[in-house]
Amino acid sequence: AWVDTPTGEDWFIHFQDVGAFGRITHLQPMVWKNDWPVIGEDKDGDGCGDPVLTYKKPNVGKTYPVATTAESDEFNANKLGLQWEWHANPQDWWHFTNQANGCLSLYSVPTVENYKSLWDVPNLLLQKTPAPDFTATMKLTFKPDPRFTGERTGLGGMGLDYALLSFENTGNGYTPSQVECLKADKGGTEIVNASLQLKDATVYLRVKVNSDATCTFTYSTDDKKYTSLGTKFQAKEGKWIGAKIGTFCTRPVKGNDGGRVDIDWFRVTK
């Protein structure tokens, strides 16, 4: 896209495909030479522009504070933030924005017939990876239906391959597991790299994503001491998109009744 400013400057917006981190938007300087747009910086004077990674800001007539798109969410509103996307067409009953209690409730949704992996799950609540180096942490309290086992929630990174910290009701308390699924789009299934047992239904789940798109998963029961679980995972892009991060709540049985997870907050930090 070619854009111009009120002060008469010309700029060009384009994107760069960076695999697991999606498509980064760039703003490039632009000038007209011989009725032709030269995009980038003409460093050698040959009339051809070279892309720049850093450049002076556009002159738009005044100074604005630095701002970023929404990432973290305290779930204190009566609707989901604009950063969130469902994996497929959503149903109203999948979630409730509990503004009074300051949390997001996700109700467990039955998995589809012939379920193989989360690739088949429509009620994944996800957002785009916000940066090439970040940490995402969520606080949740799991409230599964006591009549059956197998309901689970968790924090994960979704793509053609995916991994997550799963938090499941097994009947003997709660089981955090670090799992991964390779070639999810081709019918791959999950493998469990590590798991343990917890009695407390409230837990803090965290994923650290590095600039090489490797992910490290940790958990905590007090938001102070975090313990590593499982192995490092190499994030991978999705179809035409980058990897995403987020959460879900599912159950392996049909019917109208099920449990839920109450998510107190979801925070993205450097």
Side-chain angles (χ1 to χ4, degrees):
W2 165 36
V3 296
D4 55 4
T5 70
T7 59
E9 293 181 347
D10 294 308
W11 296 83
F12 192 81
I13 299 175
H14 71 107
F15 71 80
Q16 175 190 13
D17 188 345
V18 288
F21 293 110
R23 301 179 183 186
I24 296 176
T25 302
H26 290 268
L27 183 65
Q28 297 287 337
M30 172 179 149
V31 296
W32 289 89
K33 292 186 177 181
N34 299 321
D35 296 327
W36 190 258
V38 177
I39 300 168
E41 190 174 16
D42 184 5
K43 297 180 180 180
D44 51 15
D46 61 357
C48 298
D50 296 310
V52 294
L53 287 176
T54 59
Y55 203 75
K56 66 179 181 179
K57 295 180 181 180
N59 179 5
V60 293
K62 62 179 295 187
T63 301
Y64 293 90
V66 175
T68 62
T69 55
E71 299 158 356
S72 300
D73 203 331
E74 298 297 316
F75 301 115
N76 292 327
N78 62 0
K79 61 180 180 180
L80 286 171
L82 294 177
Q83 66 268 46
W84 296 109
E85 307 173 349
W86 294 102
H87 192 52
N89 294 333
Q91 301 295 318
D92 292 340
W93 63 272
W94 288 354
H95 79 287
F96 174 61
T97 48
N98 195 332
Q99 185 178 21
N101 292 336
C103 71
L104 170 68
S105 295
L106 296 182
Y107 301 104
S108 67
V109 176
T111 53
V112 298
E113 290 187 27
N114 302 316
Y115 168 83
K116 293 183 178 179
S117 74
L118 289 182
W119 189 266
D120 303 322
V121 171
N123 60 305
L124 305 181
L125 186 62
L126 307 169
Q127 63 172 277
K128 296 177 176 67
T129 49
D133 195 341
F134 69 95
T135 298
T137 309
M138 62 181 290
K139 178 185 178 182
L140 64 88
T141 299
F142 199 21
K143 299 180 178 180
D145 191 316
R147 295 174 298 173
F148 48 80
T149 61
E151 285 185 300
R152 70 169 183 162
T153 182
L155 169 68
M158 191 68 191
L160 301 177
D161 301 339
Y162 72 81
L164 72 145
L165 272 184
S166 170
F167 196 60
E168 182 176 347
N169 173 28
T170 59
N172 296 316
Y174 303 98
T175 301
S177 302
Q178 193 267 314
V179 304
E180 66 179 53
C181 179
L182 303 182
K183 297 183 178 179
D185 63 317
K186 303 295 185 182
T189 56
E190 292 180 1
I191 60 172
V192 177
N193 292 324
S195 63
L196 52 94
Q197 294 293 126
L198 291 179
K199 294 183 178 180
D200 197 341
T202 298
V203 70
Y204 302 81
L205 305 180
R206 173 174 289 176
V207 58
K208 173 71 173 70
V209 182
N210 295 315
S211 57
D212 60 356
T214 57
C215 306
T216 303
F217 293 92
T218 57
Y219 74 95
S220 174
T221 56
D222 58 10
D223 198 27
K224 296 178 181 178
K225 179 183 178 182
Y226 280 81
T227 303
S228 178
L229 188 64
T231 60
K232 286 188 176 181
F233 171 73
Q234 183 67 50
K236 192 173 182 180
E237 70 278 1
K239 288 185 178 293
W240 300 99
I241 58 175
K244 296 183 179 182
I245 56 170
T247 185
F248 65 97
C249 189
T250 60
R251 66 179 189 266
V253 297
K254 309 300 180 183
N256 295 327
D257 297 326
R260 73 177 193 270
V261 58
D262 290 340
I263 304 171
D264 192 350
W265 44 258
F266 187 101
R267 295 171 183 167
V268 177
T269 56
K270 292 183 179 180

